Each structure stands twice: as structure tokens, then as C-alpha cells.
Amino acid sequence: MYATKLMGHATPAAATTAAPADRNYLLERVGEAAVVQVYADGFRDLPLREKTLVWHLGQAAIAGRDIFYDQRYAHNLEMRDVLEAIITHPSGIDSSTFDEIERYTKLFWINTGAFNNLTARKFVLACTPDAFVAAAAAAARAGARFPLRPGETLDALLARLRPMFFDADDDPTVTSKTPRAGKDILTASANNLYVGVTMEDLEGFREAHPLNSRLVKRNGRLVEEVYRVGGRYGTQIAAIVQHLEAAIPFATEPMAKALRALIRFYQTGEEADRQAYDIAWVQDKASPVDTINGFVEVYLDARSIKGAWEALVFYVNREKTSQIQTIARQAQWFEDHMPWDATYRKEGAHGVTANAIDIVVETGESGPITPVGINLPNDQAIRERFGSKSVSLSNVSEAYDKSTLPEFRNEFSWTPEEAERSRKWSAFASELTTNMHEVIGHGSGKVNDGLKGSPQAALKEQFSAIEESRADLVALYFLPDPKLVELGLLAEEDQEEIVRTEYEGYTRNALVQLRRVREGTHIEEDHMRNRQMIVCWLMAHTTAIDVRTRGGKTYYVMTDPQAFRDGVGRLLAEVQRIKGEGDYDAALALFETYGVHFDPALRDEVVARVDHLHLPSYSGFVMPRLDAIRDASGEILDVAISYPLDLAAQMLEYSAASRHLRV
């Protein structure tokens, strides 16, 4: 599970080290998005063995990138090929048309396709279809190659793709967990995880490969197209396997064992082999370099069952790991003091491995838009028996911090004192709550035996939002606890102010995040649903939060930290019960009442305020670039790291490296 960034909620100063004063983080603005460079300063100091390992794992990450493009939308890859053909051959294209195509292409890259990563809504080209056709024709004359089907002309290709580029009502939502009345969540979702399948079709159907398959209805029968070597995405997966095999000689033995298990899973696609890999991965507790590679998170699926492909390659940042490991070592204490029924408490909590890490490569669902924290595996049964691994993405947090403008806290704080507290403490509070979210949030609790370790199946489209709410609530609940002072995680004299700062920031964010949903009246993204639900529930059931207006502006004001914490504890107990029992009806009612719907007039006000300040809604990240330096025999002598500072250059390089794997 992911922790995502609260834009406008500063990142951890304690998790950053001094960077060169002239270092460039914020590269450009593209519409609502900021483009930010990530730096991995510790890479140059890694031993050659570990650098070489990172290199091979990075090649595996790039090899699988197009899997997620295709999962996200069946037309994504053709659309990307068209766009990249045009922007790499600008000769003869009208300048205003080219500027618009370039703007759209950059948003397409950042969001991995034509749907906003946060709102799930489709975005379209702002030029005319005729201007787009003319631009493509000019690019073709300049030597551009387009993804034509056998016997297809360029005009026919562009006519076929015209609705995808220009009609916002054609496939309007990539993942629709709250479709219009009478609509099915699967057929209302434009993603490529199901073809011709409805929720009704799935009644009584048992999936042999729930995480790693596409479900297709053929001749009235449901067919699982399994993601594996020789199956769906077989060419890309075979290339991933090749790079993983090349990495094994440079890995520690526990990591090599996990990589061999991952290869086995990629070869067979069998659920038992996926479980064996998850166990081997979580049991590797000390490798200095690691990777997450595979069909992992289920946010893309309206049912919260199908895994989206992603890859992360990283090394442990030893200097920044102390806080998160301190929390992990106390997992059982936190478990014993959870405010939920003892039925749902783990006994003998173990296997919680936690590290601060520096990312070197992220692709698929984890990049260019990246989480700031991750806790895996998601398999509840494995978590309860073998534990989990949590990581805090330190260099991503640093990049957020260095690229974020301070106006957010000033614009939405009720008093100058609140804004000053945010400036002073929100960075530290954000780091601490993110670490607790991952380690003792996602890593805690257990479910009833009747769920057979799969609350996802019972909670369906509500599962991810419930789980993210649970993790946030755990962090918010324990932040004021004296145990944190005892553990040395914060100073006693600072705790009250840190708690107030975090509670104020969390409250503000439920208002500020509305700027991301510029169309419609409901929220689709699970992390956003979770935050709105918590704040709106607290508004309805406690005296902790006031809604105030001043000068025609709305403010969410946290007024009572004790009432806030008491309310969080009560809500957390209910959210854990919902997960533990798989109570779908209660989950649906909770989010329909507090987490999904909002007043569009309030949203319009927030949008106007942030647009006036020219503040971005989200960020896409440019990764470091690695180049293997080889001798005459091909042996790697060193791996050089550099920083592209250019989104287009990196995206085109990645596309060129993986295009030949598509069949």
C-alpha cells in the first residue's frame, strides 16, 4: 500500500540533507503539474557490486514500463506512439499547434496516459482535430513513423484514435468506483483490466489468478489472460526476467532467493508462486539494495483485486533510517494499544522491516507520479504470518520539499500563528506520520478467519480507501502518545505543538485537495477519499473542526486537538471493524456519506485561490539516469549517474528502450 504526498503539506526537513544551493529541483510547470528532478546523492558511494545490481534492476524496471501503459488504457500505447512521432519531428508544424501537442504529451507521460492520476478523469487535446491531422502529416513528411495497422493509412489511424484524443465523454473515467446510477463499476471504468465483463458476470466465478490476469468475456465465458512468460505481456515479462537473472550474481543471498522466486512467479503466473515470492521478499531484511517489481497495487481496479504493474529500484539510506526503524521495533507495543477491539489485534507482531530509501528508478504505477511511502506485501495472510516491509522514499520527499512553494500554508491557514507552526513543524510531523502510516498503520491488525486473508474480496471497490483511512488514522491517533517521547522520536516540550501542526495540516488538506478535482462533484482517488472522509466525519461527530469564512474565503480550522484525537480513536475502531469483518455495507455508507461527494461551489473557490497563486496540483518526477561503463569484453567497470533535468528526454529514452518488446 502507498502513502501519497499531501501537496502543500511540507515534507520532512529532518529527512533531508544539505543539497547544493544551485541545484535545480522544479524543472517546469505543465498545466496543473509540476515536473521535479529526483537526486540520489548516495549512489556514487555504493560499491561497484551494488551499483551493478542497481543497473540490472533498473533495466528490468524500464523493460516492463509499457505493461502499465496498456493496463491503464487499451489505446495508450498507440496514442503515445503518435504523440512521440509528432513531437520528435517538429519541422513544418504550426507553432501553436505544436505547443499544445507538446503540453498534452507531457501530461500524458506524467499521468501514464490520457487520464488524470488523481481524479481518474480523461483529459483531451485543446487544438482542433484538423490541426492535429496536419501536424501528423507534417511529421510524416519529416520522416516520423506511426503505429499503422496492416493496410491502414495515417488518416485512418488518426480517425480511429480521434475520440481518444478529443472526446472527453468517450471513456471518461479510468477507474469508476462511484458510477452513475445503474452503471456497472467495471464497464464504467476505461482501464484494460476487464473486457466485456460486469460485476454480475463475476458472481460465483473463482479467479485462479486474481492479481495477475486480465478477465475477458469470450463466447459467453470468462477467460483469464494470465500475465506471465508466454502469456499476456509475455515479451515484456521475458525481458524483465532476463534482467533479473543478470542481477542475481550481484545480490545478497536473501535477495537472490527473492529474485529467483519472482522469476519463478513470472514464468508460471501461479498464485502459489506469487505467495512464495512475497514471503521470500519480506524475509530479506538487510539487503542494502532492493527492488519492488511486479503486479502489486490494486488502486487501478474498481474491484481492488487486479494488480497494476510497477517497478522501483532503491538503496537504503542509512543516515535517514533511524526513525522508521525505531517505530518498527515497537510494532507489538503499538498493536497492544490500538483503540480497536482486541479481536483484531495481532499477537506476536514480528517481521516488520523498515528503512528510509533513496529511489534510483521508478516506472509503471510508481512513476513518474510516485508515492512517498510503501508497505508491502498486500497479502493480508502473509502480513499476519511473516510481517511486512515499509520504506520511506527519502529523496522523493526531499524533492517535494525543495520544489514546493510556501504559499499553500499561508493561503489556507486561519491565523498567522497556524501558518508559522506549519513552517516550523509540518516537515517533521509529515515525516513522522508517514512512517507511522506505513509501519504501524498498514502493518497492523488482523481480520476474521472467515475472510480467508482477503478482505479485498468482501470490501470490493471500498477496500483501498478503507485501508488507507486505517493507516492514516493509526498515525494520527498515536502522534500525541507519550510513547513517542519515550522512544526519542520527538521532544516532550515540542509534542503538543507538533500534534497541533499535524492536525491543522491534515484538516486543511481536505479542503485544499479539492483543487485536484476540477470537474464533477465526487472523488475517485482512494487516498483523497480517505482524507475527506476522516475530516468530514470529525466535523460531523466531534467539536474538533470549525468551518469558517472570511473575505469570501472558506477555511477548515482545527480547534481542539484532544477532541480530534478522541474522534480519530472512535473512527479507527470502526474502520478496523469494517476491515476485520469485511463489512461492505458499512464501508459503502461511510464513504458515500463523508468521503466521496463535495460541494462544487466550494471546489471552484479553492481552484480560484490556488490558480491565483499559480500553485500546482501534483508533481511528476524525472529519475536519475544510469550509464554502464564497460570494458572491451562488455564487463561493467562502473555505473555513472547523471540527472537529465528534462522530462521529455527521459520519457523518449524509456520509450525507445521498450518499444521493441511490444508484439
Side-chain angles (χ1 to χ4, degrees), residues 209-228:
H209 307 87
L211 191 71
N212 62 311
S213 70
R214 182 175 78 158
L215 271 179
V216 178
K217 195 170 185 180
R218 292 182 187 152
N219 301 319
R221 294 178 59 251
L222 290 174
V223 177
E224 292 182 81
E225 297 180 343
V226 183
Y227 308 149
R228 62 186 173 198

Side-chain angles (χ1 to χ4, degrees), residues 47-323:
L48 177 58
R49 180 187 183 96
E50 293 172 14
K51 288 182 180 179
T52 306
L53 175 60
V54 170
W55 159 259
H56 288 298
L57 296 174
Q59 294 302 297
I62 295 169
R65 171 178 177 251
D66 286 353
I67 295 174
F68 183 58
Y69 266 95
D70 188 74
Q71 286 184 302
R72 195 154 160 78
Y73 191 42
H75 305 288
N76 262 346
L77 291 171
E78 280 188 308
M79 294 173 72
R80 194 186 75 194
D81 284 349
V82 169
L83 294 168
E84 291 179 353
I86 293 173
I87 67 165
T88 54
H89 295 81
S91 178
I93 300 176
D94 171 75
S95 61
S96 61
T97 300
F98 182 84
D99 288 347
E100 167 54 20
I101 295 172
E102 184 179 48
R103 180 199 68 86
Y104 178 87
T105 302
K106 288 181 178 180
L107 289 177
F108 194 96
W109 284 326
I110 292 168
N111 290 279
T112 314
F115 299 88
N116 183 282
N117 189 272
L118 296 169
T119 68
R121 293 285 301 178
K122 185 178 184 180
F123 55 90
V124 296
L125 274 163
C127 64
T128 67
D130 287 346
F132 188 60
V133 169
R141 290 193 295 272
R145 299 180 63 181
F146 289 86
L148 304 178
R149 295 177 179 178
E152 188 175 44
T153 64
L154 178 58
D155 284 344
L157 167 68
L158 298 176
R160 178 166 57 81
L161 295 180
R162 177 171 173 170
M164 295 75 170
F165 281 118
F166 290 98
D167 187 351
D169 294 321
D170 181 79
D171 291 334
T173 307
V174 67
T175 302
S176 181
K177 297 183 180 182
T178 312
R180 298 173 187 170
K183 296 289 185 179
D184 182 89
I185 61 173
L186 300 186
T187 57
S189 298
N191 63 58
N192 195 22
L193 303 178
Y194 305 89
V195 179
V197 179
T198 67
M199 289 294 288
E200 185 178 359
D201 293 328
L202 295 174
E203 292 180 9
F205 180 76
R206 181 183 176 278
E207 292 162 272
H209 307 87
L211 191 71
N212 62 311
S213 70
R214 182 175 78 158
L215 271 179
V216 178
K217 195 170 185 180
R218 292 182 187 152
N219 301 319
R221 294 178 59 251
L222 290 174
V223 177
E224 292 182 81
E225 297 180 343
V226 183
Y227 308 149
R228 62 186 173 198
V229 175
R232 184 164 184 83
Y233 306 128
T235 305
Q236 290 95 338
I237 293 173
I240 294 169
V241 165
Q242 181 181 12
H243 292 299
L244 295 178
E245 288 174 335
I248 287 174
F250 304 95
T252 64
E253 184 47 41
M255 186 182 184
K257 179 181 177 181
L259 291 177
R260 285 190 286 266
L262 176 57
I263 290 168
R264 174 70 179 169
F265 171 56
Y266 272 143
Q267 290 170 335
T268 70
E270 295 301 319
E271 181 71 358
D273 290 323
R274 192 272 305 163
Q275 293 170 354
Y277 164 63
D278 279 354
I279 293 168
W281 183 79
V282 83
Q283 289 180 328
D284 176 15
K285 301 179 185 299
S287 293
V289 170
D290 204 351
T291 190
I292 296 167
N293 188 304
F295 303 96
V296 182
E297 304 291 356
V298 296
Y299 302 112
L300 181 64
D301 182 10
R303 295 171 61 217
S304 298
I305 296 293
K306 300 295 181 191
W309 190 87
E310 66 175 318
L312 304 90
V313 183
F314 51 89
Y315 58 89
V316 175
N317 188 317
R318 299 295 182 190
E319 294 180 4
K320 302 176 185 177
T321 290
S322 174
Q323 184 186 90

Side-chain angles (χ1 to χ4, degrees), residues 477-640:
Y477 179 76
F478 281 108
L479 188 62
D481 200 289
K483 184 69 173 180
L484 301 192
V485 174
E486 178 188 326
L487 295 174
L489 295 173
L490 43 70
E492 182 176 7
E493 63 269 23
D494 297 329
Q495 187 169 26
E496 182 179 346
E497 194 169 22
I498 290 169
V499 169
R500 180 177 284 275
T501 299
E502 179 63 20
Y503 286 2
E504 287 171 338
Y506 199 92
T507 298
R508 284 196 308 273
N509 188 65
L511 177 66
V512 178
Q513 72 174 7
L514 293 179
R515 77 196 187 282
R516 296 167 163 173
V517 191
R518 300 194 171 212
E519 298 178 9
T521 60
H522 69 270
I523 297 170
E524 286 288 355
E525 204 275 333
D526 292 307
H527 298 84
M528 293 175 65
R529 284 186 172 193
N530 121 57
R531 294 167 192 148
Q532 170 155 302
M533 183 277 289
I534 290 171
V535 170
C536 290
W537 189 96
L538 291 173
M539 287 179 178
H541 295 276
T542 76
T543 59
I545 299 170
D546 284 349
V547 179
R548 300 176 182 175
T549 58
R550 181 175 60 205
K553 296 180 179 181
T554 304
Y555 297 83
Y556 286 0
V557 186
M558 197 288 301
T559 59
D560 188 338
Q562 187 59 53
F564 192 104
R565 196 214 185 188
D566 291 344
V568 162
R570 286 187 283 132
L571 179 57
L572 176 54
E574 172 62 6
V575 167
Q576 176 60 40
R577 185 201 67 79
I578 289 171
K579 179 184 177 183
E581 296 181 4
D583 189 343
Y584 174 81
D585 291 338
L588 178 64
L590 186 64
F591 286 103
E592 281 292 317
T593 304
Y594 301 109
V596 173
H597 307 285
F598 61 84
D599 178 0
L602 180 61
R603 181 268 319 281
D604 293 345
E605 175 205 317
V606 171
V607 167
R609 290 164 72 179
V610 299
D611 283 355
H612 177 71
L613 296 171
H614 305 289
L615 301 175
S617 295
Y618 61 97
S619 296
F621 291 82
V622 178
M623 296 291 121
R625 175 187 171 133
L626 300 179
D627 290 291
I629 301 170
R630 301 176 185 270
D631 64 15
S633 67
E635 182 178 352
I636 294 178
L637 301 176
D638 196 7
V639 179

